[in-house]
Amino acid sequence: MGLFKRNPFGHILFIKKWLIRVLGAMTHKRYRGFNELQIEGSEIIKTLPDTNVLFISNHQTYFADVVAMFHVFNASLSGRQDTIKNIGYLWQPKMNIYYVAAKETMQAGLLPRILAYVGAITVERTWRAKGVDVTEKRDVNPNDTENIRIALEDGWVITFPQGTTKSFKPVRKGTAHIIKQHKPIVIPIVIDGFRRSFDKKGLRMKKKGILQSFIIKEPLDIDYENDTIDEIVEKVEYAIEQHPSFLKVIPAEEIKAQEELNEMRRWSYKDSENEY
């Protein structure tokens, strides 16, 4: 790699690589140490092609979710199975991982701007501004969708199709349009525990000893030619477990089983703490 080689967005790869290394080392204990990240399905990551992969996920914090994905993806590509143990995987990180983020969020201070250099595709949200939903429809910036296309052609893209950290908000149709137009392999991810571990921005830890879960699912089955936008939206909602049907009352026996599982995980977490 040439010292000043750049990606399609003009970012110098040498600088980006060192930012990933340094930020990764600084954040590693947030997912393996102070808290424990339980990963499922990481074997799927190694089977994916190098480009045109779209990761869709529910969203709980501005930055901690994405940082966890950089850790998990690079650890998985380095041969680790459902673990981010030993941060040596950060030495040669995958350089063509991008994530979609609101422009106003990534311009709010020095640290967000540094994080943006790591791989943000900034977009202007048409439905929300400064944390408030807007009622007046604004035009979508064509440069935003073009940049997502460029990123997919160059590598992997992470997006949060609800466009907010609030649970069970509707999936935005823009994600479905991207899927239908560019036909990427779509990998759903379901996360939990991040909202309890971090503040809303995902920069400050607010509680230790939280079990964070990170589930990678099989590629979404999509008929790119015949599925309608609404059908794709519904598939995305189910895949990231944000469809309104998930809000139904959970049976008592399922709650009891979940509590028993959480107790088992709690003791498993304590054991892993002792090993760390």
Side-chain angles (χ1 to χ4, degrees), residues 240-258:
I240 64 173
E241 299 182 9
Q242 293 294 300
H243 189 271
S245 63
F246 285 89
L247 282 169
K248 292 180 180 179
V249 176
I250 303 173
E253 59 270 17
E254 187 174 333
I255 293 176
K256 183 179 179 181
Q258 185 62 46

Side-chain angles (χ1 to χ4, degrees), residues 40-45 47-48 53-56 185-190 215-222 235 239-240:
E40 295 180 26
S42 67
E43 69 279 358
I44 293 170
I45 300 299
T47 68
L48 299 173
V53 177
L54 182 69
F55 294 91
I56 55 173
I185 295 174
V186 181
I187 305 296
I189 294 174
V190 178
I215 301 172
I216 305 165
K217 298 185 176 183
E218 294 286 346
L220 206 56
D221 183 16
I222 298 173
K235 287 183 178 182
I240 64 173

Side-chain angles (χ1 to χ4, degrees), residues 19-263:
L19 286 175
I20 293 173
R21 288 171 175 172
V22 172
L23 293 172
M26 291 172 62
T27 59
H28 187 253
K29 277 198 172 183
R30 294 179 168 216
Y31 308 101
R32 185 176 170 83
F34 299 129
N35 295 304
E36 186 72 10
L37 185 63
Q38 290 195 334
I39 308 164
E40 295 180 26
S42 67
E43 69 279 358
I44 293 170
I45 300 299
K46 290 200 72 172
T47 68
L48 299 173
D50 191 48
T51 63
N52 205 35
V53 177
L54 182 69
F55 294 91
I56 55 173
S57 176
N58 61 314
H59 203 17
Q60 295 197 338
T61 71
Y62 291 174
F63 300 112
D65 309 4
V66 170
V67 173
M69 291 180 188
F70 270 76
H71 277 290
V72 173
F73 295 170
N74 282 296
S76 302
L77 291 171
S78 296
R80 289 160 178 78
Q81 180 74 33
D82 291 343
T83 181
I84 57 170
K85 183 178 180 180
N86 185 346
I87 61 172
Y89 58 78
L90 291 171
W91 188 248
Q92 293 296 339
K94 183 174 173 61
M95 299 297 294
N96 54 347
I97 300 177
Y98 303 94
Y99 61 97
V100 179
K103 184 173 292 184
E104 64 181 83
T105 300
M106 304 313 295
Q107 293 178 344
L110 177 61
L111 183 55
R113 290 175 185 272
I114 292 173
L115 291 169
Y117 203 95
V118 171
I121 308 167
T122 57
V123 298
E124 294 179 0
R125 292 188 294 194
T126 60
W127 67 94
R128 193 171 176 84
K130 298 180 180 179
V132 179
D133 292 338
V134 296
T135 54
E136 182 180 349
K137 182 173 175 58
R138 293 174 291 164
D139 292 334
V140 175
N141 187 338
N143 289 333
D144 293 345
T145 54
E146 176 65 10
N147 285 338
I148 293 173
R149 178 193 67 78
I150 293 170
L152 282 170
E153 289 184 353
D154 186 61
W156 295 356
V157 174
I158 301 163
T159 188
F160 303 97
Q162 292 168 287
T164 176
T165 57
K166 294 180 179 179
S167 300
F168 297 103
K169 286 291 185 178
V171 163
R172 299 289 165 179
K173 291 186 177 182
T175 300
H177 282 286
I178 291 168
I179 292 171
K180 195 167 179 65
Q181 182 176 358
H182 302 300
K183 302 177 176 58
I185 295 174
V186 181
I187 305 296
I189 294 174
V190 178
I191 62 170
D192 195 23
F194 292 79
R195 189 176 283 113
R196 296 188 295 276
S197 304
F198 303 98
D199 65 349
K200 186 174 182 179
K201 289 184 177 180
L203 297 175
R204 180 179 61 83
M205 280 185 55
K206 66 180 185 182
K207 195 170 183 179
K208 297 180 181 180
I210 300 296
L211 283 167
Q212 305 157 339
S213 63
F214 191 107
I215 301 172
I216 305 165
K217 298 185 176 183
E218 294 286 346
L220 206 56
D221 183 16
I222 298 173
D223 185 336
Y224 300 103
E225 302 301 330
N226 299 313
D227 281 353
T228 66
I229 294 299
D230 288 338
E231 287 172 337
I232 294 175
V233 164
E234 187 174 49
K235 287 183 178 182
V236 169
E237 287 179 333
Y238 274 111
I240 64 173
E241 299 182 9
Q242 293 294 300
H243 189 271
S245 63
F246 285 89
L247 282 169
K248 292 180 180 179
V249 176
I250 303 173
E253 59 270 17
E254 187 174 333
I255 293 176
K256 183 179 179 181
Q258 185 62 46
E259 288 175 349
E260 291 174 352
L261 178 60
N262 286 339
E263 184 67 12

